[in-house]
Amino acid sequence: MDQVKKITYFDNNATTRVAPEVLEAMLPYWRDLWGNPSAAYRFGNQLAKDIEKARERVAALLNADPREIVFTSCGTESNNSAIQSALALNPAKRHIVSTSVEHSSVINHCDYLESTGVSVTYLPVEADGSLDLHMLEQSIRPDTAIVSIMWANNETGVLFPIEEISAICQSKGVLLHTDAVQVAGKVPIDVKALGVDFLALSAHKLYAPKGIGALYIKRRARFQPYIIGGGQEKGRRAGTENVAQMVGFGRAAELALANLKEEETRVRQLRDRMETSILATIPSTFRNGARDARLCNTSNIAFDGAEAEGILLLLDRAGICASSGSACSTGSLEPSHVLTAMGFDSTRAKASIRLSLGIYNTDADVDYLLHHLPEIVARLRGVSPDSPVRIPVSV
Ligand SMILES: *Cc1c(COP(=O)(O)O)cnc(C)c1O
């Protein structure tokens, strides 16, 4: 792998840079403090208190009790284990309610569960990516083991009204899991007010490293571990603790909580300036997803008559990182399942790119993108930037 020179990064929903403060916090644990936290001697077991400190910090980001936080290996594991636990503890309940726009870690897991005899209702979405809550209410059955609905969509940034979803699930007496991976650090989270049963987080979407996540499990809720082995995480998730990364996650959560308001405002301004300018200056462009009920950092835009693949390639040549849909589906020629679920045909889905900003983006980054993008789109459309005629060409 070449050393990365200068990149302009607009793919923060795929992963984020590790914050220097987070790296700093982890270094002692990589270098010197490498003991096993379950050991009988202090070199190991003194680390248990650092893990607990990290747990408190992650809990604080959610307004949770630290005892409600279980560290996992990633957001995917958190999502998988919440659903698996609900099924394992309710053997008579063989139905799941989810949506057609979930992250692959929910949707592909549910597809797999269907192959084992579980039935799944995938709620459809409207053209703006929103959910029909009446349909949610109607889809819950006596044999529904769990409802699993994401809080914010990773491709469009569209926010679901999790408070109302939670109220519906509570009134029906059914468990609710929410994938909040994209929400952490962008929207205030208060699990006590929400009343969700499970909530998934991933550290690498929050300026901490890949390979560490957390699952919030409501206090006194029954939980069946997914990874079975040693008694780590109070018997809820086996495997020797990833101390350095837990500490890093804790530091990232602390920073996110402290800077949330300020960053939300700043990133939203950058995103809005970028999006408004693209929609105004490049003809035949459309925003995918609701304008308002949306994360502060995400913009998903269709460029009629140009292919996302070509746009991304030419952006990459200019050192700009963006994506089409989710990182997991790039490389496959399938149109995004999220945009398809919103009712867009595959041409529009394949003409759409996602630009997701983060706390390290600057006005200069946006200016740089705005300088290159119109030219790139015009080139792919086979016209000069000012011409209204569009003839798509491939790169
Ligand atoms: C990235 C992401 C995940 C998966 O998290 P990993 O830690 O990469 O497994 C799950 N859900 C959403 C919405 C995501 O954006």
Side-chain angles (χ1 to χ4, degrees):
M1 177 76 206
D2 299 338
Q3 266 292 310
V4 178
K5 292 197 185 77
K6 164 75 181 143
I7 58 154
T8 304
Y9 191 75
F10 289 108
D11 204 16
N12 287 276
N13 287 8
T15 197
T16 56
R17 169 184 168 180
V18 173
E21 297 92 332
V22 169
L23 181 63
E24 212 47 52
M26 292 189 299
L27 283 175
Y29 298 86
W30 293 122
R31 210 163 30 208
D32 307 314
L33 303 170
W34 43 264
N36 187 321
S38 307
Y41 40 82
R42 277 165 303 157
F43 176 63
N45 63 33
Q46 66 171 356
L47 299 175
K49 68 177 189 326
D50 301 328
I51 294 175
E52 290 323 303
K53 184 94 223 149
R55 195 186 310 281
E56 283 166 22
R57 289 171 169 175
V58 173
L61 183 64
L62 310 180
N63 192 29
D65 184 302
R67 290 169 292 186
E68 297 175 310
I69 303 299
V70 172
F71 284 111
T72 64
S73 70
C74 58
T76 299
E77 184 192 323
S78 300
N79 282 334
N80 276 229
S81 41
I83 293 175
Q84 287 283 347
S85 172
L87 289 172
L89 295 174
N90 300 285
K93 299 188 174 184
R94 295 276 101 354
H95 176 239
I96 296 170
V97 175
S98 191
T99 80
S100 49
V101 296
E102 298 296 308
H103 184 265
S104 53
S105 58
V106 170
I107 220 160
N108 289 350
H109 183 216
C110 285
D111 282 351
Y112 160 74
L113 291 168
E114 273 190 307
S115 77
T116 70
V118 173
S119 82
V120 184
T121 302
Y122 298 99
L123 297 169
V125 294
E126 309 285 335
D128 65 354
S130 64
L131 265 187
D132 179 345
L133 295 186
H134 187 63
M135 277 184 99
L136 164 64
E137 203 161 352
Q138 288 184 322
S139 68
I140 298 170
R141 316 191 311 214
D143 68 335
T144 303
I146 190 165
V147 172
S148 180
I149 295 184
M150 69 198 324
W151 189 338
N153 190 276
N154 45 301
E155 294 192 26
T156 58
V158 169
L159 289 158
F160 287 152
I162 201 69
E163 303 82 359
E164 292 169 62
I165 292 168
S166 181
I168 291 170
C169 292
Q170 281 178 28
S171 77
K172 296 264 184 181
V174 62
L175 292 172
L176 172 63
H177 166 61
T178 189
D179 173 351
V181 169
Q182 288 297 343
V183 167
K186 300 169 191 157
V187 175
I189 304 178
D190 182 346
V191 285
K192 289 203 172 70
L194 278 179
V196 297
D197 299 283
F198 304 102
L199 181 147
L201 296 180
S202 174
H204 78 96
K205 308 288 174 78
L206 195 69
Y207 312 100
K210 295 154 201 57
I212 180 89
L215 179 65
Y216 159 83
I217 305 172
K218 194 193 224 162
R219 194 116 165 80
R220 282 189 267 277
R222 292 159 72 224
F223 182 71
Q224 169 64 40
Y226 186 48
I227 308 280
I228 298 169
Q232 293 90 353
E233 298 295 286
K234 294 208 166 73
R236 293 176 295 181
R237 201 282 183 183
T240 303
E241 296 89 339
N242 190 345
V243 184
Q245 305 227 131
M246 289 171 176
V247 168
F249 190 4
R251 184 76 178 108
E254 182 182 46
L255 291 167
L257 186 61
N259 302 325
L260 195 132
K261 268 221 169 66
E262 197 185 313
E263 291 300 346
E264 205 268 350
T265 309
R266 201 181 64 81
V267 170
R268 182 181 296 277
Q269 278 168 359
L270 279 179
R271 192 275 312 267
D272 287 349
R273 180 165 82 83
M274 175 191 79
E275 185 175 280
T276 308
S277 172
I278 293 172
L279 295 175
T281 60
I282 309 180
S284 301
T285 48
F286 308 92
R287 181 188 48 250
N288 295 319
R291 195 193 63 178
D292 297 326
R294 192 163 51 129
L295 290 175
C296 58
N297 78 316
T298 310
S299 189
N300 194 308
I301 299 178
F303 297 85
D304 200 7
E307 286 202 346
E309 225 180 301
I311 299 174
L312 296 177
L313 187 87
L314 295 178
L315 284 174
D316 187 25
R317 282 191 199 155
I320 299 170
C321 308
S323 74
S324 58
S326 63
C328 320
S329 61
T330 311
S332 72
L333 291 168
E334 290 297 300
S336 148
H337 72 282
V338 174
L339 299 180
T340 308
M342 287 159 71
F344 300 128
D345 61 16
S346 84
T347 310
R348 172 146 170 185
K350 287 182 177 180
S352 298
I353 70 165
R354 175 185 74 187
L355 296 157
S356 51
L357 283 69
I359 63 168
Y360 295 112
N361 282 116
T362 60
D363 271 306
D365 291 344
V366 170
D367 291 339
Y368 185 71
L369 174 79
L370 293 175
H371 173 73
H372 283 280
L373 192 57
E375 215 170 273
I376 288 172
V377 175
R379 185 175 151 195
L380 292 167
R381 286 171 171 173
V383 294
S384 80
D386 310 314
S387 163
V389 189
R390 282 176 282 104
I391 309 150
V393 293
S394 51
V395 245

